[in-house]
Amino acid sequence: MAAVVAATRWWRLLLVLSAAGMGVSGAPQPPNILLLLMDDMGWGDLGVYGEPSRETPNLDRMAAEGMLFPNFYSANPLCSPSRAALLTGRLPIRNGFYTTNAHARNAYTPQEIVGGIPDSEQLLPELLKKAGYVSKIIGKWHLGHRPQFHPLKHGFDEWFGSPNCHFGPYDNKARPNIPVYRDWEMVGRYYEEFPINLKTGEANLTQIYLQEALDFIKRQARRHPFFLYWAVDATHAPVYASKPFLGTSQRGRYGDAVREIDDSVGKMLELLHDLHIADNTFVFFTSDNGAALISAPEQAGSNGPFLCGKQTTFEGGMREPALAWWPGHIAAGQVSHQLGSIMDLFTTSLALAGLTPPRDRAIDGLNLLPALLQGRLMDRPVFYYRGDTLMATILGQHKAHFWTWTNSWENFRQGIDFCPGQNVSGVTTHSLEDHTKLPLIFHLGRDPGERFPLSFASAEYQEALSRITSVVQQHQEALVPGQPQLNVCNWAVMNWAPPGCEKLGKCLTPPESIPEKCLWSH
């Protein structure tokens, strides 16, 4: 026991010195890192955040044994840009995961996208190799599906999962089903070798992903430090769960998926304890963006008290559930009001490994170790982008909207609604409204639902505007946008003949190659 206590104290010293930029030689093996990234899970989906059915006992216990972050944000209100931000520590406007095809348009990586994560970006698993980490991604990649964008070409040692989400089933004539990979080669396709019953919601994918995680942890437990990125997509519509969980939730099919994820997290944490590596494994749980209210009520989660959902830069689209767990290091039962970002997981993971972020580029992620280990709060802004447009900025408790927009009147009249039942006059607009000269400012502590903008004439408004304007001006003056990766689409680059399709007899013939501008529907 004395040796364990001594090692823990030594590692705490190392982390404090690392956070201060000081190196330490002869340090013990750095901790394993397990990042659990959900898909479209809302801030209000966990019992610890107030979800009334209390169907997430394992995640609630994880929070009770670790630290809860109520003020944690994605880097984008859409899946793939936020995932690119997590793995690079950089805003999508910097790493290229945006479009310039239309003002303030969100963009992502559907099958027909030509672009993906550029070689110039340094991803977290690439950098962790310097500290001896072995890395695996399980689940959705979503950073480009063409061969040059394969995760094993960007630092991961193993992969089991898919390049895109489980949309479909498709007809394999106009659009092929999404492949599932093991490492370099596909092992089947969704709805074919990996069935998902769209009528009942039954699929065994979460169980498969869980077993992949347990096997990897067992293999690596006594070898190298490991980085496991568990990126399951069961809560992304069409939501799914395995048969033992179907029909067990008070929240419908979406709740079934959440219950299975909760059970899976519990099994992973239990294994860490059984292998006696829990005190040397840092675990973080969060989501890539807010709940997709367009799929409500049966196939969408809850964003709690916050406005709107996925696709928007209101709080419901960007604020995420976030839990940190590291027994013996993070004190139990802590709540940190640190303003956090999904990009902080990049910088914090490097600090855990005793590494420093690349110095040849702007890094937006903050090292959270002072907040995690010492309870410190660090002042920082959070920038809310849609496409190449800065929509809003939060600093402290104040949030300024420079542009407001949910989705177009055309889409809205077709039944596409990102804010069902939440119309706020002059705020949830269906035309892109310019507030750059006189931003709408909300105090999120008093008004988390963004319903009551501050009076333009008030002293509070003037003071908040001055502070935020200064921060935004500094940000924009230093900003060097990356080459946009999500501008060009081409049906010929879809998943017609992925590596390994020959062995399975699953190769399909692509159509004629016709590159064209991507026309995003939302």
Side-chain angles (χ1 to χ4, degrees):
M1 177 61 72
V4 172
V5 171
T8 298
R9 287 174 177 167
W10 171 246
W11 189 250
R12 281 181 179 273
L13 173 62
L14 171 64
L15 292 174
V16 172
L17 293 174
S18 174
M22 302 170 61
V24 179
S25 59
Q29 178 174 297
N32 307 306
I33 300 169
L34 177 50
L35 299 185
L36 309 171
L37 184 68
M38 302 303 104
D39 206 336
D40 293 4
M41 182 175 278
W43 188 93
D45 277 335
L46 308 185
V48 73
Y49 281 97
E51 201 290 308
S53 63
R54 301 282 173 170
E55 293 178 345
T56 54
N58 295 291
L59 288 164
D60 296 349
R61 185 168 65 249
M62 179 181 169
E65 295 173 356
M67 182 174 284
L68 177 76
F69 286 87
N71 304 316
F72 195 85
Y73 290 86
S74 178
N76 191 268
L78 213 57
C79 307
S80 44
S82 63
R83 291 162 188 263
L86 185 158
L87 291 175
T88 62
R90 287 154 56 80
L91 285 163
I93 190 71
R94 298 193 205 273
N95 63 38
F97 262 66
Y98 68 99
T99 181
T100 57
N101 285 349
H103 191 198
R105 291 280 178 172
N106 288 317
Y108 65 113
T109 54
Q111 285 201 73
E112 59 267 29
I113 200 76
V114 170
I117 195 69
D119 284 339
S120 57
E121 291 298 319
Q122 292 186 308
L123 273 61
L124 180 56
E126 293 179 72
L127 297 170
L128 288 175
K129 283 186 183 296
K130 298 176 183 178
Y133 280 75
V134 173
S135 301
K136 180 165 186 167
I137 172 175
I138 298 172
K140 188 168 85 170
W141 167 239
H142 226 201
L143 270 64
H145 62 271
R146 299 170 70 204
Q148 64 265 40
F149 305 126
H150 193 289
L152 269 61
K153 286 195 173 184
H154 292 272
F156 284 101
D157 300 293
E158 300 179 25
W159 180 27
F160 184 88
S162 63
N164 305 81
C165 203
H166 55 282
F167 293 124
Y170 299 119
D171 60 12
N172 285 339
K173 294 178 181 177
R175 187 179 292 264
N177 280 327
I178 306 294
V180 176
Y181 279 77
R182 179 173 297 284
D183 298 331
W184 289 108
E185 296 185 343
M186 69 176 285
V187 290
R189 294 182 186 269
Y190 286 139
Y191 301 96
E192 297 173 24
E193 291 72 23
F194 297 89
I196 303 170
N197 188 317
L198 287 175
K199 184 176 180 180
T200 66
E202 182 179 351
N204 288 327
L205 285 164
T206 301
Q207 290 303 308
I208 295 171
Y209 292 151
L210 169 61
Q211 195 57 52
E212 287 288 326
L214 299 178
D215 291 347
F216 178 74
I217 292 169
K218 290 173 185 175
R219 280 190 286 114
Q220 298 301 328
R222 301 300 177 192
R223 299 180 185 176
H224 309 279
F226 66 77
F227 168 52
L228 175 57
Y229 177 44
W230 198 67
V232 298
D233 63 357
T235 46
H236 188 300
V239 300
Y240 61 78
S242 63
K243 192 170 184 178
F245 291 90
L246 284 176
T248 64
S249 169
Q250 299 178 50
R251 304 179 62 199
R253 191 182 297 180
Y254 180 87
D256 297 340
V258 172
R259 289 197 68 244
E260 185 166 19
I261 287 170
D262 176 79
D263 182 76
S264 299
V265 172
K267 285 182 167 63
M268 283 187 265
L269 300 185
E270 181 182 11
L271 178 62
L272 296 175
H273 279 299
D274 290 346
L275 295 173
H276 305 291
I277 58 172
D279 62 348
N280 197 41
T281 305
F282 174 79
V283 184
F284 201 97
F285 177 97
T286 190
S287 177
D288 59 358
N289 46 248
L293 301 184
I294 188 176
S295 304
E298 180 68 12
Q299 300 207 40
S302 166
N303 294 317
F306 303 115
L307 185 62
C308 299
K310 179 180 180 177
Q311 292 270 12
T312 78
T313 48
F314 299 109
E315 291 297 286
M318 298 282 286
R319 198 186 292 219
E320 315 304 334
L323 315 173
W325 185 87
W326 191 13
H329 301 269
I330 298 173
Q334 300 297 301
V335 176
S336 173
H337 292 284
Q338 173 63 48
L339 204 59
S341 166
I342 202 169
M343 297 177 291
D344 300 342
L345 299 178
F346 173 89
T347 312
T348 304
S349 296
L350 292 179
L352 287 165
L355 302 171
T356 56
R359 293 190 173 91
D360 63 344
R361 64 199 64 205
I363 299 294
D364 298 292
L366 188 70
N367 178 6
L368 291 177
L369 290 180
L372 290 162
L373 303 179
Q374 302 166 333
R376 284 173 48 193
L377 296 179
M378 298 162 280
D379 194 29
R380 61 95 66 86
V382 168
F383 299 106
Y384 301 67
Y385 275 88
R386 282 179 68 154
D388 57 354
T389 304
L390 180 61
M391 302 290 288
T393 299
I394 184 173
L395 187 63
Q397 294 275 16
H398 291 103
K399 179 179 180 182
H401 288 268
F402 308 112
W403 298 86
T404 55
W405 188 40
T406 56
N407 58 315
S408 69
W409 278 114
E410 179 186 4
N411 290 151
F412 182 69
R413 292 184 182 114
Q414 294 171 351
I416 298 171
D417 190 355
F418 301 142
C419 313
Q422 290 186 303
N423 178 55
V424 180
S425 180
V427 178
T428 55
T429 55
H430 291 290
S431 55
L432 185 59
E433 298 294 332
D434 185 352
H435 305 281
T436 51
K437 293 181 179 175
L438 204 60
L440 300 178
I441 299 182
F442 297 87
H443 187 286
L444 295 179
R446 298 192 301 266
D447 179 24
E450 297 171 278
R451 286 163 171 79
F452 307 103
L454 300 181
S455 167
F456 296 141
S458 68
E460 181 183 2
Y461 179 92
Q462 296 300 326
E463 190 274 334
L465 178 62
S466 176
R467 290 172 56 243
I468 292 174
T469 299
S470 175
V471 166
V472 168
Q473 183 177 353
Q474 183 179 5
H475 165 71
Q476 292 181 325
E477 287 176 351
L479 180 65
V480 179
Q483 184 70 26
Q485 297 295 306
L486 309 183
N487 277 353
V488 181
C489 287
N490 186 345
W491 281 46
V493 305
M494 289 196 288
N495 295 284
W496 300 102
C501 67
E502 301 90 350
K503 296 178 184 177
L504 301 174
K506 305 289 291 187
C507 299
L508 302 168
T509 303
E512 180 185 359
S513 178
I514 306 176
E516 57 187 9
K517 181 183 289 189
C518 294
L519 299 176
W520 308 103
S521 60
H522 304 321

